[in-house]
Amino acid sequence: MFFKAKPSFRDLVLGTIAFISLTGLLSLSYEDSTSRQAFLNMATFIIGAVIGHFIPGQK
């Protein structure tokens, strides 16, 4: 991925938190098969929230 401009500190922190959360949720879903669907739904929500943040909004 190539950036036209250097990403802001806020964007880097958000991406790092999302990556750590996603990794943790996927590892929890691997370990606990009875609650797997709930963990995968939360992982989907996190991915959607980060993508929604990075899409430029209409003014």
Side-chain angles (χ1 to χ4, degrees):
M1 176 183 279
F2 297 105
F3 292 107
K4 293 181 181 179
K6 185 177 177 182
S8 68
F9 180 73
R10 180 179 177 201
D11 292 341
L12 288 175
V13 169
L14 179 67
T16 304
I17 291 172
F19 178 75
I20 292 170
S21 298
L22 184 63
T23 307
L25 284 170
L26 291 177
S27 64
L28 285 173
S29 69
Y30 178 75
E31 292 294 323
D32 187 10
S33 62
T34 58
S35 300
R36 182 170 291 162
Q37 191 62 38
F39 291 130
L40 292 177
N41 285 340
M42 283 301 297
T44 305
F45 176 77
I46 289 172
I47 291 171
V50 170
I51 290 174
H53 173 76
F54 287 122
I55 294 175
Q58 296 179 355
K59 294 182 179 178

Short mmCIF file of all heavy atoms in Angstrom, two decimals:
data_model
loop_
_atom_site.label_atom_id
_atom_site.label_comp_id
_atom_site.label_asym_id
_atom_site.label_seq_id
_atom_site.Cartn_x
_atom_site.Cartn_y
_atom_site.Cartn_z
N MET A 1 0.85 -1.17 0.00
CA MET A 1 0.00 0.00 0.00
C MET A 1 0.90 1.23 0.00
O MET A 1 1.81 1.35 0.80
CB MET A 1 -0.90 -0.01 1.23
CG MET A 1 -1.75 1.22 1.35
SD MET A 1 -2.75 1.28 2.85
CE MET A 1 -4.10 0.26 2.34
N PHE A 2 0.61 2.13 -0.91
CA PHE A 2 1.38 3.36 -1.00
C PHE A 2 0.51 4.53 -0.56
O PHE A 2 -0.64 4.66 -0.98
CB PHE A 2 1.86 3.58 -2.43
CG PHE A 2 2.79 2.51 -2.91
CD1 PHE A 2 2.36 1.55 -3.80
CD2 PHE A 2 4.08 2.45 -2.45
CE1 PHE A 2 3.21 0.55 -4.22
CE2 PHE A 2 4.95 1.47 -2.86
CZ PHE A 2 4.50 0.51 -3.76
N PHE A 3 1.05 5.34 0.32
CA PHE A 3 0.34 6.52 0.80
C PHE A 3 0.82 7.74 0.03
O PHE A 3 2.01 7.89 -0.22
CB PHE A 3 0.60 6.75 2.30
CG PHE A 3 0.00 5.70 3.17
CD1 PHE A 3 0.79 4.76 3.80
CD2 PHE A 3 -1.37 5.65 3.36
CE1 PHE A 3 0.24 3.78 4.61
CE2 PHE A 3 -1.94 4.69 4.17
CZ PHE A 3 -1.13 3.76 4.79
N LYS A 4 -0.12 8.61 -0.35
CA LYS A 4 0.26 9.86 -1.00
C LYS A 4 0.85 10.82 0.02
O LYS A 4 1.70 11.63 -0.30
CB LYS A 4 -0.95 10.48 -1.68
CG LYS A 4 -1.44 9.67 -2.86
CD LYS A 4 -2.62 10.34 -3.52
CE LYS A 4 -3.10 9.49 -4.69
NZ LYS A 4 -4.26 10.07 -5.34
N ALA A 5 0.38 10.72 1.24
CA ALA A 5 0.89 11.56 2.32
C ALA A 5 1.15 10.67 3.52
O ALA A 5 0.61 9.57 3.62
CB ALA A 5 -0.13 12.64 2.68
N LYS A 6 1.97 11.15 4.42
CA LYS A 6 2.27 10.39 5.62
C LYS A 6 1.01 10.30 6.49
O LYS A 6 0.36 11.31 6.75
CB LYS A 6 3.38 11.10 6.38
CG LYS A 6 3.86 10.35 7.60
CD LYS A 6 5.01 11.07 8.25
CE LYS A 6 5.42 10.34 9.51
NZ LYS A 6 6.49 11.04 10.21
N PRO A 7 0.63 9.07 6.93
CA PRO A 7 -0.57 8.96 7.77
C PRO A 7 -0.38 9.64 9.11
O PRO A 7 0.74 9.69 9.65
CB PRO A 7 -0.76 7.45 7.93
CG PRO A 7 0.54 6.84 7.58
CD PRO A 7 1.26 7.80 6.68
N SER A 8 -1.47 10.15 9.65
CA SER A 8 -1.38 10.85 10.93
C SER A 8 -1.16 9.85 12.06
O SER A 8 -1.38 8.65 11.92
CB SER A 8 -2.65 11.66 11.17
OG SER A 8 -3.74 10.78 11.38
N PHE A 9 -0.73 10.38 13.18
CA PHE A 9 -0.50 9.54 14.37
C PHE A 9 -1.79 8.87 14.80
O PHE A 9 -1.80 7.71 15.20
CB PHE A 9 0.08 10.40 15.49
CG PHE A 9 0.34 9.64 16.75
CD1 PHE A 9 1.39 8.75 16.83
CD2 PHE A 9 -0.48 9.80 17.86
CE1 PHE A 9 1.63 8.03 18.00
CE2 PHE A 9 -0.26 9.09 19.02
CZ PHE A 9 0.80 8.21 19.09
N ARG A 10 -2.90 9.59 14.70
CA ARG A 10 -4.21 9.05 15.09
C ARG A 10 -4.57 7.84 14.22
O ARG A 10 -5.09 6.84 14.73
CB ARG A 10 -5.26 10.14 14.95
CG ARG A 10 -6.63 9.70 15.31
CD ARG A 10 -7.60 10.84 15.16
NE ARG A 10 -8.95 10.40 15.44
CZ ARG A 10 -10.02 11.02 15.04
NH1 ARG A 10 -9.92 12.14 14.35
NH2 ARG A 10 -11.20 10.56 15.32
N ASP A 11 -4.31 7.93 12.92
CA ASP A 11 -4.61 6.81 12.04
C ASP A 11 -3.72 5.61 12.34
O ASP A 11 -4.17 4.47 12.27
CB ASP A 11 -4.44 7.23 10.58
CG ASP A 11 -5.48 8.24 10.14
OD1 ASP A 11 -6.53 8.34 10.81
OD2 ASP A 11 -5.25 8.92 9.12
N LEU A 12 -2.47 5.85 12.65
CA LEU A 12 -1.57 4.75 13.00
C LEU A 12 -2.00 4.06 14.29
O LEU A 12 -1.98 2.84 14.39
CB LEU A 12 -0.14 5.25 13.14
CG LEU A 12 0.56 5.63 11.83
CD1 LEU A 12 1.93 6.22 12.12
CD2 LEU A 12 0.68 4.42 10.94
N VAL A 13 -2.42 4.85 15.28
CA VAL A 13 -2.87 4.27 16.55
C VAL A 13 -4.15 3.47 16.33
O VAL A 13 -4.29 2.35 16.84
CB VAL A 13 -3.08 5.38 17.61
CG1 VAL A 13 -3.81 4.84 18.82
CG2 VAL A 13 -1.75 5.98 18.00
N LEU A 14 -5.08 4.00 15.55
CA LEU A 14 -6.32 3.29 15.26
C LEU A 14 -6.05 1.97 14.54
O LEU A 14 -6.63 0.93 14.87
CB LEU A 14 -7.26 4.16 14.43
CG LEU A 14 -8.58 3.52 14.04
CD1 LEU A 14 -9.43 3.29 15.28
CD2 LEU A 14 -9.31 4.38 13.05
N GLY A 15 -5.17 2.00 13.57
CA GLY A 15 -4.82 0.78 12.85
C GLY A 15 -4.15 -0.25 13.74
O GLY A 15 -4.42 -1.44 13.63
N THR A 16 -3.28 0.21 14.64
CA THR A 16 -2.60 -0.70 15.55
C THR A 16 -3.58 -1.34 16.54
O THR A 16 -3.53 -2.55 16.78
CB THR A 16 -1.50 0.05 16.32
OG1 THR A 16 -0.61 0.66 15.38
CG2 THR A 16 -0.72 -0.88 17.21
N ILE A 17 -4.47 -0.53 17.09
CA ILE A 17 -5.47 -1.06 18.02
C ILE A 17 -6.39 -2.06 17.31
O ILE A 17 -6.73 -3.11 17.86
CB ILE A 17 -6.27 0.08 18.66
CG1 ILE A 17 -5.37 0.87 19.62
CG2 ILE A 17 -7.51 -0.44 19.39
CD1 ILE A 17 -6.01 2.12 20.16
N ALA A 18 -6.79 -1.73 16.08
CA ALA A 18 -7.66 -2.64 15.33
C ALA A 18 -6.94 -3.95 15.03
O ALA A 18 -7.52 -5.04 15.14
CB ALA A 18 -8.11 -1.98 14.04
N PHE A 19 -5.66 -3.88 14.70
CA PHE A 19 -4.89 -5.10 14.40
C PHE A 19 -4.75 -5.97 15.64
O PHE A 19 -4.93 -7.19 15.58
CB PHE A 19 -3.52 -4.73 13.84
CG PHE A 19 -2.68 -5.93 13.55
CD1 PHE A 19 -2.94 -6.71 12.43
CD2 PHE A 19 -1.63 -6.28 14.38
CE1 PHE A 19 -2.17 -7.82 12.17
CE2 PHE A 19 -0.85 -7.38 14.12
CZ PHE A 19 -1.13 -8.17 13.01
N ILE A 20 -4.45 -5.36 16.77
CA ILE A 20 -4.32 -6.12 18.02
C ILE A 20 -5.66 -6.74 18.42
O ILE A 20 -5.72 -7.91 18.82
CB ILE A 20 -3.77 -5.22 19.14
CG1 ILE A 20 -2.31 -4.84 18.85
CG2 ILE A 20 -3.87 -5.90 20.50
CD1 ILE A 20 -1.76 -3.78 19.75
N SER A 21 -6.74 -5.98 18.29
CA SER A 21 -8.07 -6.50 18.63
C SER A 21 -8.46 -7.65 17.70
O SER A 21 -8.99 -8.67 18.15
CB SER A 21 -9.12 -5.40 18.53
OG SER A 21 -8.85 -4.38 19.43
N LEU A 22 -8.19 -7.48 16.43
CA LEU A 22 -8.53 -8.51 15.47
C LEU A 22 -7.74 -9.79 15.72
O LEU A 22 -8.30 -10.89 15.69
CB LEU A 22 -8.27 -7.99 14.05
CG LEU A 22 -8.66 -8.90 12.91
CD1 LEU A 22 -10.16 -9.14 12.93
CD2 LEU A 22 -8.23 -8.30 11.60
N THR A 23 -6.47 -9.66 16.01
CA THR A 23 -5.64 -10.81 16.30
C THR A 23 -6.13 -11.53 17.57
O THR A 23 -6.21 -12.77 17.60
CB THR A 23 -4.17 -10.40 16.47
OG1 THR A 23 -3.76 -9.64 15.34
CG2 THR A 23 -3.27 -11.59 16.61
N GLY A 24 -6.46 -10.77 18.59
CA GLY A 24 -6.96 -11.36 19.83
C GLY A 24 -8.29 -12.06 19.64
O GLY A 24 -8.50 -13.16 20.15
N LEU A 25 -9.20 -11.44 18.90
CA LEU A 25 -10.50 -12.07 18.67
C LEU A 25 -10.38 -13.35 17.85
O LEU A 25 -11.06 -14.34 18.12
CB LEU A 25 -11.45 -11.09 17.97
CG LEU A 25 -12.03 -10.00 18.86
CD1 LEU A 25 -12.75 -8.96 18.02
CD2 LEU A 25 -12.98 -10.61 19.87
N LEU A 26 -9.52 -13.34 16.85
CA LEU A 26 -9.34 -14.54 16.05
C LEU A 26 -8.69 -15.66 16.85
O LEU A 26 -9.04 -16.83 16.70
CB LEU A 26 -8.54 -14.23 14.79
CG LEU A 26 -9.27 -13.36 13.77
CD1 LEU A 26 -8.36 -13.05 12.59
CD2 LEU A 26 -10.54 -14.01 13.30
N SER A 27 -7.77 -15.32 17.73
CA SER A 27 -7.15 -16.35 18.56
C SER A 27 -8.16 -16.89 19.59
O SER A 27 -8.18 -18.09 19.87
CB SER A 27 -5.90 -15.83 19.25
OG SER A 27 -6.22 -14.80 20.14
N LEU A 28 -9.01 -16.02 20.12
CA LEU A 28 -10.05 -16.49 21.04
C LEU A 28 -11.07 -17.38 20.33
O LEU A 28 -11.54 -18.37 20.89
CB LEU A 28 -10.76 -15.31 21.70
CG LEU A 28 -9.99 -14.59 22.79
CD1 LEU A 28 -10.76 -13.34 23.21
CD2 LEU A 28 -9.75 -15.49 23.97
N SER A 29 -11.40 -17.03 19.09
CA SER A 29 -12.35 -17.87 18.36
C SER A 29 -11.74 -19.22 18.02
O SER A 29 -12.46 -20.22 17.91
CB SER A 29 -12.83 -17.16 17.10
OG SER A 29 -11.78 -17.06 16.16
N TYR A 30 -10.44 -19.27 17.86
CA TYR A 30 -9.76 -20.54 17.62
C TYR A 30 -9.79 -21.42 18.87
O TYR A 30 -10.00 -22.63 18.79
CB TYR A 30 -8.33 -20.29 17.16
CG TYR A 30 -7.54 -21.55 16.92
CD1 TYR A 30 -7.76 -22.31 15.78
CD2 TYR A 30 -6.59 -21.97 17.83
CE1 TYR A 30 -7.05 -23.47 15.56
CE2 TYR A 30 -5.87 -23.13 17.63
CZ TYR A 30 -6.10 -23.88 16.48
OH TYR A 30 -5.40 -25.02 16.28
N GLU A 31 -9.59 -20.81 20.02
CA GLU A 31 -9.53 -21.56 21.28
C GLU A 31 -10.90 -22.01 21.78
O GLU A 31 -11.06 -23.12 22.26
CB GLU A 31 -8.86 -20.72 22.37
CG GLU A 31 -7.40 -20.45 22.14
CD GLU A 31 -6.55 -21.70 22.22
OE1 GLU A 31 -6.85 -22.58 23.05
OE2 GLU A 31 -5.61 -21.80 21.43
N ASP A 32 -11.91 -21.14 21.69
CA ASP A 32 -13.23 -21.42 22.26
C ASP A 32 -14.23 -21.68 21.14
O ASP A 32 -14.79 -20.75 20.56
CB ASP A 32 -13.69 -20.25 23.12
CG ASP A 32 -14.97 -20.53 23.88
OD1 ASP A 32 -15.40 -21.69 23.91
OD2 ASP A 32 -15.51 -19.58 24.47
N SER A 33 -14.45 -22.94 20.83
CA SER A 33 -15.31 -23.27 19.70
C SER A 33 -16.80 -23.02 19.98
O SER A 33 -17.57 -22.87 19.05
CB SER A 33 -15.10 -24.74 19.29
OG SER A 33 -15.46 -25.60 20.35
N THR A 34 -17.20 -22.96 21.25
CA THR A 34 -18.62 -22.73 21.55
C THR A 34 -19.02 -21.28 21.32
O THR A 34 -20.17 -21.00 21.00
CB THR A 34 -18.93 -23.11 23.01
OG1 THR A 34 -18.11 -22.34 23.88
CG2 THR A 34 -18.68 -24.59 23.24
N SER A 35 -18.10 -20.35 21.46
CA SER A 35 -18.40 -18.93 21.26
C SER A 35 -17.76 -18.38 19.99
O SER A 35 -17.62 -17.17 19.84
CB SER A 35 -17.90 -18.12 22.46
OG SER A 35 -18.52 -18.56 23.63
N ARG A 36 -17.41 -19.23 19.09
CA ARG A 36 -16.70 -18.82 17.88
C ARG A 36 -17.47 -17.79 17.06
O ARG A 36 -16.89 -16.82 16.57
CB ARG A 36 -16.39 -20.06 17.04
CG ARG A 36 -15.60 -19.74 15.79
CD ARG A 36 -15.11 -20.99 15.13
NE ARG A 36 -14.09 -21.57 16.00
CZ ARG A 36 -13.69 -22.82 15.92
NH1 ARG A 36 -14.21 -23.62 15.05
NH2 ARG A 36 -12.76 -23.26 16.74
N GLN A 37 -18.77 -17.98 16.88
CA GLN A 37 -19.55 -17.07 16.05
C GLN A 37 -19.58 -15.65 16.62
O GLN A 37 -19.50 -14.68 15.88
CB GLN A 37 -20.97 -17.60 15.88
CG GLN A 37 -21.77 -16.88 14.83
CD GLN A 37 -21.16 -17.01 13.45
OE1 GLN A 37 -20.64 -18.05 13.09
NE2 GLN A 37 -21.21 -15.95 12.69
N ALA A 38 -19.66 -15.51 17.93
CA ALA A 38 -19.67 -14.18 18.54
C ALA A 38 -18.33 -13.47 18.33
O ALA A 38 -18.30 -12.27 18.01
CB ALA A 38 -19.96 -14.29 20.03
N PHE A 39 -17.23 -14.20 18.47
CA PHE A 39 -15.91 -13.60 18.25
C PHE A 39 -15.73 -13.19 16.79
O PHE A 39 -15.18 -12.13 16.49
CB PHE A 39 -14.80 -14.55 18.67
CG PHE A 39 -14.71 -14.78 20.16
CD1 PHE A 39 -14.66 -16.05 20.68
CD2 PHE A 39 -14.69 -13.71 21.04
CE1 PHE A 39 -14.57 -16.27 22.04
CE2 PHE A 39 -14.60 -13.91 22.40
CZ PHE A 39 -14.55 -15.19 22.91
N LEU A 40 -16.20 -14.02 15.87
CA LEU A 40 -16.07 -13.68 14.45
C LEU A 40 -16.95 -12.50 14.06
O LEU A 40 -16.58 -11.69 13.22
CB LEU A 40 -16.38 -14.91 13.60
CG LEU A 40 -15.37 -16.05 13.71
CD1 LEU A 40 -15.82 -17.24 12.88
CD2 LEU A 40 -13.99 -15.60 13.30
N ASN A 41 -18.13 -12.38 14.70
CA ASN A 41 -18.98 -11.21 14.44
C ASN A 41 -18.31 -9.93 14.93
O ASN A 41 -18.39 -8.88 14.27
CB ASN A 41 -20.33 -11.38 15.10
CG ASN A 41 -21.22 -12.34 14.37
OD1 ASN A 41 -21.00 -12.63 13.19
ND2 ASN A 41 -22.21 -12.88 15.06
N MET A 42 -17.65 -9.98 16.08
CA MET A 42 -16.93 -8.80 16.57
C MET A 42 -15.75 -8.45 15.67
O MET A 42 -15.47 -7.27 15.44
CB MET A 42 -16.43 -9.04 18.00
CG MET A 42 -17.51 -8.92 19.04
SD MET A 42 -18.31 -7.30 19.04
CE MET A 42 -16.95 -6.25 19.48
N ALA A 43 -15.07 -9.45 15.14
CA ALA A 43 -13.96 -9.20 14.22
C ALA A 43 -14.47 -8.52 12.95
O ALA A 43 -13.84 -7.58 12.44
CB ALA A 43 -13.25 -10.51 13.88
N THR A 44 -15.62 -8.95 12.45
CA THR A 44 -16.22 -8.31 11.28
C THR A 44 -16.59 -6.86 11.58
O THR A 44 -16.39 -5.97 10.75
CB THR A 44 -17.47 -9.09 10.84
OG1 THR A 44 -17.12 -10.45 10.63
CG2 THR A 44 -18.06 -8.52 9.58
N PHE A 45 -17.11 -6.61 12.77
CA PHE A 45 -17.46 -5.25 13.17
C PHE A 45 -16.23 -4.35 13.23
O PHE A 45 -16.26 -3.21 12.78
CB PHE A 45 -18.17 -5.27 14.53
CG PHE A 45 -18.49 -3.91 15.06
CD1 PHE A 45 -19.56 -3.20 14.55
CD2 PHE A 45 -17.72 -3.33 16.05
CE1 PHE A 45 -19.86 -1.94 15.02
CE2 PHE A 45 -18.00 -2.07 16.53
CZ PHE A 45 -19.08 -1.37 16.02
N ILE A 46 -15.13 -4.86 13.77
CA ILE A 46 -13.90 -4.07 13.87
C ILE A 46 -13.37 -3.72 12.49
O ILE A 46 -12.98 -2.57 12.23
CB ILE A 46 -12.84 -4.81 14.70
CG1 ILE A 46 -13.26 -4.83 16.18
CG2 ILE A 46 -11.47 -4.18 14.56
CD1 ILE A 46 -12.39 -5.69 17.04
N ILE A 47 -13.36 -4.68 11.59
CA ILE A 47 -12.89 -4.42 10.23
C ILE A 47 -13.76 -3.37 9.56
O ILE A 47 -13.27 -2.44 8.92
CB ILE A 47 -12.87 -5.73 9.42
CG1 ILE A 47 -11.78 -6.65 9.95
CG2 ILE A 47 -12.63 -5.44 7.94
CD1 ILE A 47 -11.82 -8.04 9.36
N GLY A 48 -15.08 -3.48 9.71
CA GLY A 48 -15.99 -2.50 9.12
C GLY A 48 -15.82 -1.11 9.71
O GLY A 48 -15.89 -0.11 8.99
N ALA A 49 -15.57 -1.03 11.01
CA ALA A 49 -15.39 0.28 11.65
C ALA A 49 -14.11 0.96 11.16
O ALA A 49 -14.10 2.17 10.90
CB ALA A 49 -15.33 0.12 13.16
N VAL A 50 -13.05 0.21 11.01
CA VAL A 50 -11.79 0.80 10.54
C VAL A 50 -11.91 1.23 9.08
O VAL A 50 -11.48 2.33 8.70
CB VAL A 50 -10.62 -0.20 10.73
CG1 VAL A 50 -9.38 0.29 10.03
CG2 VAL A 50 -10.35 -0.40 12.20
N ILE A 51 -12.51 0.40 8.25
CA ILE A 51 -12.70 0.77 6.84
C ILE A 51 -13.60 1.99 6.74
O ILE A 51 -13.36 2.91 5.96
CB ILE A 51 -13.25 -0.41 6.04
CG1 ILE A 51 -12.17 -1.48 5.90
CG2 ILE A 51 -13.73 0.02 4.67
CD1 ILE A 51 -12.64 -2.75 5.26
N GLY A 52 -14.67 2.03 7.55
CA GLY A 52 -15.56 3.19 7.55
C GLY A 52 -14.87 4.46 8.00
O GLY A 52 -15.20 5.56 7.55
N HIS A 53 -13.89 4.34 8.89
CA HIS A 53 -13.15 5.52 9.34
C HIS A 53 -12.26 6.07 8.24
O HIS A 53 -12.11 7.28 8.10
CB HIS A 53 -12.32 5.18 10.57
CG HIS A 53 -11.41 6.29 11.00
ND1 HIS A 53 -11.87 7.41 11.65
CD2 HIS A 53 -10.07 6.47 10.84
CE1 HIS A 53 -10.85 8.22 11.89
NE2 HIS A 53 -9.75 7.66 11.41
N PHE A 54 -11.66 5.19 7.47
CA PHE A 54 -10.70 5.63 6.46
C PHE A 54 -11.35 6.09 5.15
O PHE A 54 -10.70 6.70 4.33
CB PHE A 54 -9.68 4.54 6.17
CG PHE A 54 -8.68 4.37 7.29
CD1 PHE A 54 -8.53 3.16 7.91
CD2 PHE A 54 -7.91 5.44 7.71
CE1 PHE A 54 -7.61 3.00 8.94
CE2 PHE A 54 -7.01 5.30 8.74
CZ PHE A 54 -6.85 4.08 9.36
N ILE A 55 -12.64 5.79 4.95
CA ILE A 55 -13.34 6.27 3.75
C ILE A 55 -13.65 7.75 3.96
O ILE A 55 -14.24 8.13 4.96
CB ILE A 55 -14.62 5.47 3.51
CG1 ILE A 55 -14.29 4.03 3.16
CG2 ILE A 55 -15.45 6.11 2.40
CD1 ILE A 55 -15.50 3.14 3.03
N PRO A 56 -13.26 8.58 3.01
CA PRO A 56 -13.54 10.02 3.19
C PRO A 56 -15.04 10.29 3.14
O PRO A 56 -15.76 9.75 2.30
CB PRO A 56 -12.82 10.68 2.02
CG PRO A 56 -12.48 9.60 1.07
CD PRO A 56 -12.55 8.30 1.80
N GLY A 57 -15.49 11.12 4.06
CA GLY A 57 -16.91 11.44 4.15
C GLY A 57 -17.30 12.58 3.22
O GLY A 57 -16.46 13.33 2.73
N GLN A 58 -18.58 12.72 3.00
CA GLN A 58 -19.08 13.82 2.18
C GLN A 58 -19.20 15.05 3.04
O GLN A 58 -19.61 14.98 4.18
CB GLN A 58 -20.43 13.46 1.57
CG GLN A 58 -20.35 12.30 0.61
CD GLN A 58 -21.73 11.97 0.06
OE1 GLN A 58 -22.73 12.54 0.46
NE2 GLN A 58 -21.76 11.03 -0.86
N LYS A 59 -18.91 16.20 2.47
CA LYS A 59 -18.98 17.45 3.23
C LYS A 59 -20.24 18.19 2.92
O LYS A 59 -20.83 18.14 1.93
CB LYS A 59 -17.78 18.32 2.92
CG LYS A 59 -16.51 17.69 3.43
CD LYS A 59 -15.33 18.59 3.17
CE LYS A 59 -14.07 17.93 3.71
NZ LYS A 59 -12.90 18.71 3.46
#
